[in-house]
Amino acid sequence: MKTNDVILQSVTKVVVFIILTLAIYLFFSGHDAPGGGFVAGLALASSFVLMLLAFDMETVQKGIPVNFRILGAVGAMFVLIDGVGAVVFGKPFLTQAFKEIEIPFFGPIEISTVTLFETGVSLAVVGVVVTIILSISEDV
């Protein structure tokens, strides 16, 4: 018997955007408060898992054609490039660098290599968590 998941699918469409907004907030608040790439990656992965629960795998893959194993590898590559980049300039591994730039209407904004590192961590967490969930769901 086919189940009717209209309510779950309708609520999922709204909740996913709320979770994605939370993930963006957690990502950018990580430098000044608790949060950052790992927590944002977990929040982002939870939105993918919610979509996989509400819809079938083919629908999610058609809407978001991402290979999560490659996404995790790209995230690990970002972290490695960020760490080796400091070594190229004669600094210790994973030493951060930052620069303050002036943006019209916003004022001075500090750009840091930590953002690249946190992006890599976030992508790696999403890739690994969603790959694990997909692997477990294939066995059931």
Side-chain angles (χ1 to χ4, degrees), residues 14 20 35 109:
V14 174
L20 293 177
I109 293 179

Side-chain angles (χ1 to χ4, degrees), residues 2-137:
K2 184 178 177 186
T3 60
N4 191 354
D5 295 331
V6 175
I7 295 174
L8 177 62
Q9 292 174 354
S10 299
V11 170
T12 297
K13 291 176 185 177
V14 174
V15 171
V16 163
F17 285 110
I18 294 170
I19 293 172
L20 293 177
T21 305
L22 174 68
I24 291 169
Y25 171 75
L26 289 171
F27 180 81
F28 286 113
S29 71
H31 303 296
D32 300 325
F38 186 78
V39 178
L42 287 177
L44 188 60
S46 71
S47 69
F48 288 122
V49 171
L50 179 61
M51 284 189 289
L52 288 170
L53 289 173
F55 302 98
D56 58 344
M57 189 140 356
E58 291 80 24
T59 305
V60 175
Q61 285 291 338
K62 188 169 56 169
I64 306 170
V66 174
N67 186 342
F68 289 101
R69 290 180 182 176
I70 293 174
L71 188 69
V74 168
M77 186 181 69
F78 274 20
V79 171
L80 185 64
I81 287 172
D82 188 47
V84 172
V87 173
V88 169
F89 294 109
K91 302 285 185 183
F93 184 70
L94 283 179
T95 301
Q96 72 169 338
F98 61 92
K99 181 177 173 116
E100 190 171 288
I101 60 172
E102 184 76 26
I103 296 182
F105 303 112
F106 288 110
I109 293 179
E110 197 172 273
I111 303 287
S112 175
T113 57
V114 173
T115 306
L116 179 65
F117 176 80
E118 295 291 344
T119 302
V121 168
S122 191
L123 292 175
V125 167
V126 169
V128 168
V129 169
V130 176
T131 300
I132 289 171
I133 296 297
L134 289 174
S135 298
I136 291 171
S137 68

